[in-house]
Amino acid sequence: MVSAALAAPAAPAHTSAGPPAPAARTGEADPRGVTDRTLVVGRTGLDALPHLNPLDSGWVIQGELNNLMYEPLIRWGREDWAPAPGLALEWEHSADGREWTYRMDPEAVWSDGVPVTARDAAFTLDLLRTDPVLNGRHGGLVDGFTDVEAVDDHTLVIRVAEPGAVMHHLNNTPIVPAHIWSEMDDPAAYRGEPGLPTSGLFSLAEYRPGERITLVANPDHPRGRPAYDRLVMRNHETTEAAVQALLRGEIDLVDGLNPQQADALRSAPGVTVSVQPGRHWDAIGFNTGARTRDGRPIGDGHPALRDPVVRRALHHVVDRDRLVEIVHAGHAEPGVSIVAPVFPRHFWDPGPETVTADPDLANRMLDEAGYRRPDPDGPRVDPDSGRPLSFRLLYHSDRPAYADIRDFLVEWAAGIGVELRPEALSSAPLNERTAAGTYDLAFGGWNYGPDPDEDFAYHTCARLPEEPGPTDLTFSWYCDEEFDALYERQRLETDPETRAELVRAMQRHLYLAVPQIVLAYDHTMEAHSAGWTGFGMLPASGGSITRQQADYGYALAAPVPGGVPGGTGGGNGLGVAVGLAAPALLLAAVARAVHRRRTAHLRD
C-alpha cells in the first residue's frame, strides 16, 4: 500500500529582492485592471495554445492549468517528485502487479457540488482508451489496461496485461466529471468553454484565445481555499514586454527571464527574483523524414537529414560550452539528452562518448559519406538527391536567445559546407510548420517530466500518424525499432534501478542517433512582486514556481497582508515616481545588457 502527505512545508527560496514594497492590492482598482485579490501572471505563448482540453494537452501551460483545475488520481510530491495522493489517497497492487486498487478521497467534490467518485475516474480512463484523438495522447498509459472498474464510489480497480511502473503515478493524468463529459457529443472537440465543474483549486471563468485566461478560486475545496480570488494569465508578445508590465505594476509574476533581465530586476524596488535549476531544455530538432506509420511521406523535409551521418556532423560543430557562456551567461548546463540533470536517477552522463565541437572531424565524416563540395565556398551536395546541403532553420521570433544561437549555428555549419537559412516565425506558425513536416531544422523547448515514459513516447514509431496530416505527437518524426524495443522494456519494468538503466540506454541511443541536439538545460529565472509571498517551488528545496506539473506554485501563493492605497502604485507596490521612472531606467539597462550579449562573441 502506498500513501503520502498531500503537501510538504514550503522551503525558503534562493531568491534576491530589491528594496521592500507595499503589500499587494486587495480592494482598490489598480493598473492590472482588477478589483479583488487577483494574481496576474504575464506569459508568452498563450497565443500558441490550440485549446484548453485537459485530456489533449501537450503544452506546459496547458499542464499548469490542468493541475489547477482538475485533480489527478496521483500527483507529483513536492520533495522529490515522488508519487503523492491526489484523488486517490492510497493504492496497492496484487502480487503479480496486474491488478491495481486505488482508494478515493471521500471528501473530494466537483465545484458544482457533485461528489467525485471512482466512476469519474473509470469514465475518464475508458474515454482515453476508446477515443482515437485522446488515445493518441494517452495511449502509452492506457493501452495496456485490460479492464477499468469502479467497484464502488470510493474504489477503483485497474487490471493490466503486464505490470508497469507507470501504475504508481498514472502520469498525473487529470480526471474529468462523468456527469458532464458523458453528455458531450465529442469530448475531444472541447476547446475550453468556461463553466464546466472542476475538482481542483480553481475553475475556468474566461478564455480569450491568445489574450488571457482567468481562473476563479473554488471556495469549498477540501484542501482549503487559495489565499486569493482569481488567477489571470495575460499574453505578452515577448518576455521583455512582460518585464515592462511587471515594472509598471500591471502584472505580479513573470517567468522565462534571460540572465540580463534577471540581473536588471534585482535592483528594482518591490521585485523579488528567483534563479533555480530547471527541467527545461532547448534543442534543435531535425526533420528525420516526416511520414505515416506505413511510410507515406508528409511535408517537404530535405532528404539528406534522414542520414544520421549528416545529423552527427552537425552535432560536432555545436559548442555547447560557448552557448552556455555567451547566450546563457553561465545560467545553464550543457545539454545531453531529454532528461534534465535535476532528475539524477535517470540522467545519463555520456562520459567518454561526449560529443565535442570538432569541425575537422565533421568535415571528414561528410567527406567519407560522399557529400562532396563542388565550390569551396558553397554548400556540399547530397549524393543521392543531388540537392545542396542547404537547410531551412526555423526559430521563434519571440525568443531573443534563439536569435543569438541562430547566429552561432549558421557560422558553425558553414564551416563544414552546410548552409542554414534562418526563418523567424512566431510560435503558432512555427509549430504548425513542424507539425506538418514542412521544415528542415527547428528550434524547440521542452519541460521534462518526472517520469520518462510520457516524454520518451514522443520518439516512438507509434506516435507517427496513421494517415498523412499534421501531428504534434512526435519529436523530429523519429522512428526506430531498436529504440522502440528499449522503450517497451522500460515501460514494463517495475524494478526502479533496472528501469533507470533502460532509461539511460534510451538517452544514449538518441544522443548517438541525433534526431535532435539538446543544447542546454537553462536555469529557471522568474520575478514577482514583493507584494506576494508563499509561492511553492517544485521541488521544495529549490525549483520553479511556474511551469510545474503540479499546482504548488500558485496554490500556496498569498498577497502580503495589507493593501496599497488607491492611486499610489501598481500590483508590485511601486510608488508613482518609481512606477513611472524605474521601468524606463531598468529597461534601458536590460537593452544594453542584451546588446552586449548579442555582440559578445564578436568582442571575445
Side-chain angles (χ1 to χ4, degrees), residues 43-47 210 234-242 397-400 426-427:
R43 305 303 294 265
T44 59
L46 291 187
D47 54 341
R234 288 182 177 171
N235 191 63
H236 295 269
E237 288 298 317
T238 63
T239 305
E240 286 87 346
S397 59
D398 51 357
R399 302 181 191 180
S426 60
S427 293

Side-chain angles (χ1 to χ4, degrees), residues 163-194:
V166 72
M167 301 304 294
H168 283 292
H169 54 75
L170 298 173
N171 282 345
N172 192 47
T173 302
I175 301 301
V176 298
H179 65 287
I180 300 296
W181 283 67
S182 63
E183 299 299 317
M184 294 183 182
D185 293 333
D186 182 4
Y190 172 71
R191 314 311 286 172
E193 293 77 17

Side-chain angles (χ1 to χ4, degrees), residues 52-55 57 62-75 86-87 109-111 116 120 124 172-178 180-181 184 190 192-204 215 218 221 223 549-551:
L52 294 185
N53 190 322
L55 299 181
S57 299
Q62 290 173 317
E64 278 189 288
L65 294 166
N66 289 348
N67 281 287
L68 289 166
M69 293 190 287
Y70 296 93
E71 299 276 9
L73 284 170
I74 302 169
R75 71 178 73 249
L87 292 176
V109 63
W110 298 105
S111 56
V116 178
D120 295 302
T124 301
N172 192 47
T173 302
I175 301 301
V176 298
I180 300 296
W181 283 67
M184 294 183 182
Y190 172 71
E193 293 77 17
L196 270 60
T198 63
S199 59
L201 293 172
F202 293 86
S203 294
L204 181 64
L215 307 182
N218 287 329
H221 196 276
R223 285 194 283 145
Q549 285 190 314
D551 64 3

Side-chain angles (χ1 to χ4, degrees), residues 168-399:
H168 283 292
H169 54 75
L170 298 173
N171 282 345
N172 192 47
T173 302
I175 301 301
V176 298
H179 65 287
I180 300 296
W181 283 67
S182 63
E183 299 299 317
M184 294 183 182
D185 293 333
D186 182 4
Y190 172 71
R191 314 311 286 172
E193 293 77 17
L196 270 60
T198 63
S199 59
L201 293 172
F202 293 86
S203 294
L204 181 64
E206 177 189 40
Y207 175 36
R208 296 183 186 176
E211 297 181 21
R212 60 187 284 162
I213 298 169
T214 302
L215 307 182
V216 294
N218 287 329
D220 301 315
H221 196 276
R223 285 194 283 145
R225 177 191 174 95
Y228 54 99
D229 304 303
R230 292 177 180 265
L231 171 63
V232 176
M233 292 188 181
R234 288 182 177 171
N235 191 63
H236 295 269
E237 288 298 317
T238 63
T239 305
E240 286 87 346
V243 168
Q244 293 183 46
L246 177 69
L247 292 169
R248 290 194 299 266
E250 297 171 357
I251 65 174
D252 304 300
L253 173 65
V254 60
D255 71 334
L257 301 176
N258 63 40
Q260 292 72 30
Q261 292 164 336
D263 288 343
L265 286 172
R266 291 180 198 277
S267 61
V271 174
T272 298
V273 176
S274 174
V275 178
Q276 304 287 347
R279 62 190 182 96
H280 179 268
W281 47 259
D282 286 315
I284 299 297
F286 296 101
N287 184 341
T288 63
R291 61 208 180 279
T292 61
R293 293 182 196 174
D294 60 6
R296 286 172 286 170
I298 297 174
D300 60 2
H302 197 296
L305 291 175
R306 302 171 197 165
D307 184 355
V309 173
V310 176
R311 305 196 301 265
R312 289 172 186 144
L314 285 167
H315 198 181
H316 273 290
V317 303
V318 175
D319 188 340
R320 291 181 172 88
D321 291 333
R322 188 160 176 79
L323 294 179
V324 168
E325 175 192 359
I326 301 299
V327 177
H328 296 282
H331 288 292
E333 305 298 329
V336 178
S337 188
I338 69 171
V339 180
V342 295
F343 300 102
R345 175 187 286 274
H346 291 151
F347 176 70
W348 175 67
D349 183 347
E353 293 185 290
T354 298
V355 174
T356 58
D358 189 342
D360 291 337
L361 174 58
N363 271 310
R364 290 197 302 271
M365 292 169 64
L366 293 174
D367 288 342
E368 293 170 2
Y371 292 93
R372 61 186 180 84
R373 195 170 188 176
D375 181 349
D377 297 321
R380 295 174 181 268
V381 174
D382 178 10
D384 293 326
S385 68
R387 293 174 56 181
L389 297 193
S390 178
F391 305 135
R392 296 161 295 178
L393 172 64
L394 309 189
Y395 70 98
H396 300 71
S397 59
D398 51 357
R399 302 181 191 180

Side-chain angles (χ1 to χ4, degrees), residues 400-473:
Y402 285 179
D404 299 333
I405 299 172
R406 169 207 65 194
D407 293 342
F408 281 112
L409 293 177
V410 169
E411 178 183 346
W412 292 338
I416 62 169
V418 175
E419 180 186 39
L420 298 181
R421 308 191 315 273
E423 296 183 28
L425 297 168
S426 60
S427 293
L430 188 149
N431 294 325
E432 291 172 359
R433 291 273 299 275
T434 57
T438 54
Y439 74 105
D440 299 318
L441 291 81
F443 279 82
W446 191 256
N447 288 272
Y448 180 79
D451 187 84
D453 189 86
E454 187 173 7
D455 296 84
F456 281 99
Y458 282 86
H459 293 90
T460 60
C461 299
R463 287 301 186 94
L464 298 180
E466 293 187 18
E467 297 295 332
T471 179
D472 64 352
L473 297 178

Side-chain angles (χ1 to χ4, degrees), residues 25 28-31 564-570 574-576:
R25 287 178 183 274
E28 299 295 326
D30 66 20
V564 179
T568 62
L574 299 174
V576 172

Side-chain angles (χ1 to χ4, degrees), residues 49-103:
L49 292 184
H51 53 70
L52 294 185
N53 190 322
L55 299 181
D56 186 20
S57 299
W59 294 77
V60 65
I61 297 177
Q62 290 173 317
E64 278 189 288
L65 294 166
N66 289 348
N67 281 287
L68 289 166
M69 293 190 287
Y70 296 93
E71 299 276 9
L73 284 170
I74 302 169
R75 71 178 73 249
W76 300 115
R78 275 196 75 200
E79 290 305 307
D80 57 1
W81 284 283
L87 292 176
L89 296 182
E90 56 187 29
W91 52 97
E92 58 190 2
H93 59 80
S94 61
D96 63 2
R98 287 179 167 82
E99 182 173 294
W100 292 71
T101 301
Y102 302 86
R103 308 195 189 283

